[in-house]
Amino acid sequence: MARKPRVFYSEDGSVISDHAALIRGRIMNSAKEILAQEGYSKTTIRKIVEHSGVLTGSIYYFFKNKEDIFRAILLELVRDCINKINKNCYDESPLFKYAAVCQVELKVLADYRIVRETYLEGYNSTIIFEGMVAQFVELARGLFDYTEYECSDEGYYQNTLMVKGAMHACLSEMFFQREVDSARTRESLLRLALRVFGAKEAEINEIVAKIASMNDVWERIGKEMVEHPLVE
C-alpha cells in the first residue's frame, strides 16, 4: 500500500506540500540559528538567504518580512513547548500546563542573554507583540475550553493581554540597573496568570510550589527549544 503523503499547514490554515514545508522549515531553522547567535536587529533577510541557501524570492513567497519570520518562529516554539509539557506533565491540570508554559519562557529569558535581547525587541514591536498575544489566546483556548476556566473570546483576549504585558515587564526588569528579586517577580507573574483565569488561592499555591520543584524539567525543555532545530 502506498504511503499517504504528509499534510502540513501554514499559519493561515492553508495546506502546503512536503517540498514547500521543507523549504519553509529550512528558512525558519536558519533564521532561528542566526537569531540565537546575533540577535534580532542583526538578523537580516540577506543573512537568512546566505545561511539557508534559499533564494530571496522563495523566502518572500512564505513570509512578508523579517518580523513575519520571527512571529512564525515564536508560534512554532509555543507549539513545541506545549507538546513537551504535555509529554512531561500529561496528567497535570490545564492550569498547571498554562503556568508551565509561562515558566519555561521565563526560564529561557533568564538563562540566555541573546534570547532576552531578541525577545525584548519582539515585545517592543507592536506587530510582533500582537502576534504573541494571539498565540497565547489560542494556547489558553486549547487548554481551557470545555473546562470550568473557559472564557468568552473577549475574556481570553483580555486575560492573555494582561499576562503577556506582565511578561514584558518581567523581561524589562532583567535589564534594570537596580538590584531586584527576579525570582519573586517571576513567581508573581505565575500567580497573576493563574488568578486571571479563575484559579483559587489554594490551587495557585499548590501549582506554584510544584512548578518551583521542577526547575530541572523547565531548564531541559528550554535548552531543547533554544538549541534544537524547529523542524527536523
Side-chain angles (χ1 to χ4, degrees):
M1 182 180 296
R3 180 178 67 87
K4 290 184 178 180
R6 292 183 297 167
V7 178
F8 298 89
Y9 297 91
S10 62
E11 277 71 38
D12 63 5
S14 58
V15 178
I16 57 178
S17 68
D18 282 22
H19 177 69
L22 181 66
I23 299 301
R24 183 176 178 278
R26 188 188 304 170
I27 295 166
M28 290 174 62
N29 282 332
S30 293
K32 178 175 179 284
E33 189 171 336
I34 297 168
L35 283 164
Q37 293 174 354
E38 302 188 29
Y40 184 80
S41 61
K42 293 183 180 180
T43 299
T44 63
I45 296 294
R46 182 175 180 177
K47 288 182 179 180
I48 296 170
V49 168
E50 293 172 351
H51 188 282
S52 67
V54 176
L55 297 176
T56 305
S58 296
I59 290 178
Y60 284 115
Y61 174 80
F62 292 104
F63 303 102
K64 297 176 184 176
N65 46 40
K66 184 176 74 170
E67 286 183 326
D68 200 27
I69 298 173
F70 189 42
R71 289 172 61 187
I73 290 171
L74 292 177
L75 177 58
E76 198 63 39
L77 287 172
V78 170
R79 289 171 177 164
D80 185 36
C81 185
I82 192 60
N83 286 338
K84 292 180 186 301
I85 287 170
N86 278 328
K87 182 177 179 180
N88 286 272
C89 313
Y90 62 91
D91 57 347
E92 297 289 352
S93 69
L95 283 170
F96 181 93
K97 292 177 181 178
Y98 187 84
V101 173
C102 294
Q103 180 69 5
V104 170
E105 182 173 345
L106 289 167
K107 181 65 177 167
V108 168
L109 294 176
D111 290 351
Y112 295 90
R113 178 189 58 81
I114 196 70
V115 176
R116 283 199 299 276
E117 294 172 355
T118 298
Y119 259 64
L120 186 62
E121 293 194 59
Y123 271 98
N124 288 334
S125 162
T126 303
I127 295 173
I128 293 176
F129 183 70
E130 185 176 3
M132 290 178 177
V133 172
Q135 291 165 11
F136 266 71
V137 165
E138 292 309 308
L139 167 66
R141 195 189 307 279
L143 288 170
F144 299 135
D145 272 357
Y146 308 108
T147 73
E148 62 182 299
Y149 307 104
E150 183 175 17
C151 300
S152 64
D153 289 345
E154 186 63 19
Y156 279 127
Y157 173 77
Q158 292 294 339
N159 291 346
T160 300
L161 187 62
M162 190 176 300
V163 172
K164 296 308 289 181
M167 186 72 75
H168 188 186
C170 282
L171 172 58
S172 298
E173 186 187 56
M174 295 177 187
F175 293 89
F176 286 0
Q177 293 184 2
R178 61 168 288 181
E179 290 187 11
V180 294
D181 187 348
S182 297
R184 186 171 182 178
T185 301
R186 293 195 291 270
E187 180 181 322
S188 296
L189 183 144
L190 293 184
R191 290 182 176 276
L192 169 67
L194 293 167
R195 195 170 288 120
V196 297
F197 281 101
K200 300 176 177 62
E201 287 304 307
E203 289 179 296
I204 293 173
N205 292 335
E206 181 179 347
I207 290 172
V208 168
K210 190 165 186 177
I211 290 282
S213 73
M214 296 175 64
N215 188 61
D216 58 329
V217 175
W218 318 134
E219 184 174 356
R220 174 169 50 80
I221 291 175
K223 182 179 176 66
E224 290 174 356
M225 290 172 59
V226 171
E227 298 181 3
H228 291 190
L230 286 168
V231 184
E232 301 289 352

